[in-house]
Amino acid sequence: MTDNKSGVLVVVEVEDSQPIDLGLEMLALARRLTGIMGGTVTAVAFGTGLETTGETLTAYGADQVLLNDNEIFTNFHAEAWLPDLSKIITEVEPALVLIGHSESGTDLAPRLAFRLDVDVATGCESIDIVNGRPHMTRSCFGGLAREVITFTKTPALATIRSKSQQALVPDMKRSAEIKHVSSILDVNAIRTRVVNRDREKAVGVQMESAKVVIGGGLGLGGPEGFKTLNEIAELVDGAVGASRAACDLDWCPRSYQIGLSGRTVAPELYIAVGISGASHHMAGCGNSKTIVSVNSDPKAEIFKSSRFGIVGNSQEIMPALAEEIRKLKA
Amino acid sequence: MKIVVCVKQIQNPEIPAAQFRIDEEAKVLIPVSGLSPVLSPFDEQAVEAALRIRDRAEEGADIEITIVTIAPKGARAAIKAALALGADNAVLLNEPTFDGGGGYVTARNLAETIRAIGDVDLILTGRQAADGDAGVVGLGIAEILDIPAITFARNVQTADGVVTVQRVLQDGIETVEADLPALVTISNELGKVRNASMRETMRAAKKPVKEWTPEDIGLDETQVGSSATRYELERLYIPVNEIECEFISGDTPAEIAATLAQHMREENLI
């Protein structure tokens, strides 16, 4: 590196005053990278009710925590985040900035990069340090390929895919400098106005943290198929997701979508039902520990990633599987 | 009202994985022979969003839809497709000097093109190109032009100098508005795209397509394409993660299901 920038700054999203898992996963990555290239790990969190956030982020690996506790940050709004975040990054001078590849992060990171006149690698799965420079590996071509890229300007920005990293075991004995920063935001400068927000109340187990996720696709044959998947999910304490095709047909809520433009899951077990395994779907579930799939097409791509496969009609197999699991659990 | 839609032409992303090839040495995609390039799907939906705005406009409203693209090697597939859907005209940046810029350069070149077109009210882009999957360029254009940007739209409406957008959230929808000029990125939830009619396809051949050089957008050759790029592609490859799949069979669904449940239990999966 030709400049004095060092260390890694992690932008941690906060939900209901708690850092989200992806933020903690990125702290583990930041620790590993600073272990190689030197520098410290700075965690930055915007939100409200951040009384215990500093301690949590310290335990998960931060050396320095900057908290911007302000009501204007209760809900994410890219334009509100940008002035403060730009200022913090300019002052901290990190070599690398990590942002979650989440709904908010994908909206925020490109704007931030252009505002800082640097570059961003979105949807990174891993980062390595080669000759002191971050080499960022990301999925492209709808999940069919991977590219490894580096930037000539610093800091490099990267958005990190959920579940691509593993959070550290929290160490309550770690200590860090926890600072509160005050916002420089001029609310009159915000040009986009949120006039209405309509979120579905999340029910059941959250997909991202579930040990078992069952995904349904076109092979389910209709919305009724999801009922059986929900039954099985309840039996195994899992969550239900879907392919884009199933969501596009309104067979299930849009929030079920797993894949490139949907959610990313990496459970212990992913059961793919009537899902062909198109690369844009695999981009959202390819990191699952074990995949089991049911598909009527023996040549379906999904079987190449599966530990167990069943070639058959999911409308017959799944009710039977629900029954068998119920017996096992009884 | 002037609407600019930024589009990209790519290899058809729906090809089977088995046909997808990379030249790892040259770090480039090997095009599937005989396959015509297509308009990137999210960009096609951005064109559709522009056409819907025009469909809804009052009789006699003057809405001009201009397509802007950076197309390597003189390729015109994306422009042809967008004009056949109903766009009015196009600006094409296809000198070899425009090739290989990456997100930063592409956003900058498109932003300067939009500035050169002048008085643009609304800019639409796909949420991301279906080859790079980056989702950087649209927001970059807005930052460079210093105008508001709203991402992941499933519905875009304009009235009285304001754009109103329904944004797709992971667990819902939000409605966001901004004064024009503004930029909106379009998501697949916008829904079905119209088919090009025979009539528009015939007309498309006669629609004006301007070919611009770096000079036309006020940049010199060091500010466009690979000579301006700030990233290095270290490696491009196809990941191999094939594992041996154990197929489970049986005479009845119940028997198959029982075997699978047993296997999953043995491996501590359930």
Side-chain angles (χ1 to χ4, degrees):
Chain A
M1 299 243 167
T2 52
D3 54 45
N4 296 322
K5 298 193 182 78
S6 74
V8 181
L9 184 144
V10 182
V11 180
V12 179
E13 269 176 66
V14 173
E15 253 176 42
D16 301 328
S17 302
Q18 292 300 316
I20 65 166
D21 289 349
L22 176 53
L24 307 178
E25 291 158 22
M26 291 192 292
L27 283 174
L29 173 63
R31 277 253 66 84
R32 183 169 69 76
L33 297 178
T34 52
I36 303 165
M37 65 174 181
T40 55
V41 175
T42 303
V44 178
F46 287 28
T48 43
L50 306 181
E51 289 81 14
T52 60
T53 309
E55 283 72 26
T56 308
L57 298 180
T58 305
Y60 278 93
D63 298 312
Q64 183 190 197
V65 180
L66 301 176
L67 300 173
N68 202 343
D69 198 327
N70 194 314
E71 273 195 13
I72 43 176
F73 300 127
T74 310
N75 289 311
F76 173 77
H77 191 145
E79 276 196 288
W81 258 244
L82 282 170
D84 282 304
L85 201 48
S86 306
K87 178 171 178 270
I88 290 170
I89 292 168
T90 308
E91 286 169 0
V92 173
E93 293 196 302
L96 177 65
V97 176
L98 305 180
I99 297 171
H101 192 72
S102 61
E103 177 181 293
S104 327
T106 50
D107 190 44
L108 175 70
R111 302 174 197 252
L112 185 63
F114 278 86
R115 203 156 283 200
L116 294 168
D117 194 23
V118 295
D119 303 85
V120 57
T122 54
C124 295
E125 292 175 348
S126 67
I127 300 182
D128 294 298
I129 304 297
V130 180
N131 299 326
R133 270 169 65 169
H135 280 224
M136 295 161 285
T137 303
R138 60 182 298 278
S139 163
C140 53
F141 293 102
L144 287 173
R146 298 290 180 278
E147 62 179 8
V148 182
I149 57 178
T150 56
F151 294 136
T152 50
K153 280 194 82 176
T154 54
L157 263 58
T159 67
I160 306 298
R161 291 197 81 95
S162 170
K163 303 291 170 191
S164 62
Q165 317 293 318
Q166 213 165 12
L168 298 169
V169 176
D171 176 359
M172 302 315 280
K173 293 196 289 288
R174 290 193 80 247
S175 65
E177 188 186 4
I178 300 171
K179 277 199 283 198
H180 284 265
V181 297
S182 44
S183 176
I184 57 158
L185 176 68
D186 169 11
V187 288
N188 297 314
I190 297 179
R191 299 166 296 186
T192 50
R193 306 174 285 274
V194 178
V195 288
N196 183 35
R197 190 176 268 142
D198 189 9
R199 287 186 184 267
E200 295 158 17
K201 277 268 171 286
V203 282
V205 184
Q206 270 288 312
M207 210 189 284
E208 283 79 4
S209 50
K211 290 224 172 354
V212 180
V213 176
I214 311 170
L218 285 186
L220 281 179
E224 310 75 38
F226 279 95
K227 283 195 196 128
T228 318
L229 301 195
N230 277 315
E231 264 174 56
I232 297 176
E234 226 167 275
L235 289 169
V236 298
D237 216 7
V240 175
S243 71
R244 195 171 95 187
C247 292
D248 283 347
L249 288 170
D250 282 331
W251 288 0
C252 60
R254 168 64 55 193
S255 57
Y256 278 30
Q257 188 186 327
I258 293 171
L260 200 62
S261 54
R263 302 165 80 149
T264 306
V265 296
E268 298 292 320
L269 172 64
Y270 182 65
I271 308 179
V273 187
I275 288 177
S276 66
S279 50
H280 55 77
H281 182 74
M282 298 313 291
C285 66
N287 281 333
S288 304
K289 300 276 181 310
T290 303
I291 297 178
V292 170
S293 46
V294 181
N295 203 294
S296 56
D297 175 9
K299 291 203 190 78
E301 208 53 41
I302 189 80
F303 289 126
K304 291 183 182 166
S305 313
S306 302
R307 170 78 181 85
F308 297 111
I310 294 174
V311 178
N313 181 349
S314 67
Q315 290 160 62
E316 293 168 11
I317 303 286
M318 296 318 286
L321 187 63
E323 194 46 47
E324 291 303 324
I325 293 175
R326 192 171 290 121
K327 276 191 226 159
L328 281 179
K329 294 275 173 185
Chain B
M1 185 167 72
K2 273 167 108 169
I3 304 176
V4 162
V5 188
C6 300
V7 304
K8 183 178 187 183
Q9 80 172 43
I10 60 168
Q11 170 164 290
N12 191 333
E14 301 296 329
I15 58 160
Q19 282 185 33
F20 181 82
R21 295 269 185 279
I22 292 282
D23 179 345
E24 288 199 25
E25 196 68 34
K27 295 180 276 197
V28 290
L29 173 80
I30 302 172
V32 177
S33 64
L35 189 72
S36 311
V38 297
L39 193 52
S40 181
F42 297 117
D43 299 352
E44 191 176 21
Q45 283 172 307
V47 175
E48 173 67 25
L51 296 171
R52 287 184 194 174
I53 289 173
R54 193 167 64 190
D55 291 348
R56 274 193 302 261
E58 292 167 31
E59 192 78 30
D62 185 19
I63 294 178
E64 181 186 356
I65 301 172
T66 301
I67 303 299
V68 175
T69 190
I70 301 178
K73 301 178 194 83
R76 280 173 175 249
I79 281 203
K80 271 191 196 162
L83 292 177
L85 287 170
D88 298 301
N89 52 54
V91 175
L92 175 61
L93 309 174
N94 80 340
E95 291 209 345
T97 47
F98 282 111
D99 289 355
Y104 162 74
V105 182
T106 303
R108 184 163 178 196
N109 293 175
L110 292 173
E112 295 308 330
T113 305
I114 290 159
R115 245 199 276 262
I117 291 169
D119 299 320
V120 174
D121 301 290
L122 179 64
I123 303 160
L124 301 176
T125 72
R127 60 176 287 165
Q128 65 200 50
D131 54 357
D133 298 333
V136 167
V137 170
L139 287 169
I141 293 170
E143 280 293 320
I144 293 168
L145 296 176
D146 195 19
I147 58 171
I150 302 171
T151 51
F152 314 141
R154 68 159 204 181
N155 185 302
V156 187
Q157 310 221 24
T158 56
D160 306 323
V162 174
V163 61
T164 305
V165 175
Q166 280 188 358
R167 283 190 78 218
V168 179
L169 304 174
Q170 198 166 300
D171 53 358
I173 297 289
E174 69 179 10
T175 308
V176 183
E177 55 178 40
D179 295 342
L180 297 174
L183 180 140
V184 179
T185 80
I186 308 296
S187 196
N188 51 290
E189 290 83 357
L190 186 96
K192 213 169 148 33
V193 174
R194 72 196 61 196
N195 292 317
S197 68
M198 189 62 88
R199 183 172 154 269
E200 282 295 334
T201 308
M202 304 278 278
R203 285 184 60 202
K206 296 195 193 78
K207 289 178 179 175
V209 178
K210 290 180 194 154
E211 287 192 36
W212 282 359
T213 63
E215 208 172 52
D216 290 321
I217 57 171
L219 297 175
D220 64 49
E221 294 202 349
T222 64
Q223 293 170 305
V224 300
S226 54
S227 52
T229 194
R230 302 197 301 202
Y231 87 106
E232 280 165 47
L233 181 59
E234 306 285 344
R235 210 184 145 203
L236 181 66
Y237 63 99
I238 297 175
V240 276
N241 60 348
E242 290 194 13
I243 56 167
E244 198 62 42
C245 181
E246 190 178 329
F247 284 97
I248 297 166
S249 50
D251 293 331
T252 64
E255 188 187 327
I256 297 168
T259 313
L260 175 62
Q262 206 59 49
H263 280 312
M264 293 197 295
R265 171 48 64 91
E266 279 161 15
E267 302 216 354
N268 241 341
L269 296 169
I270 54 170

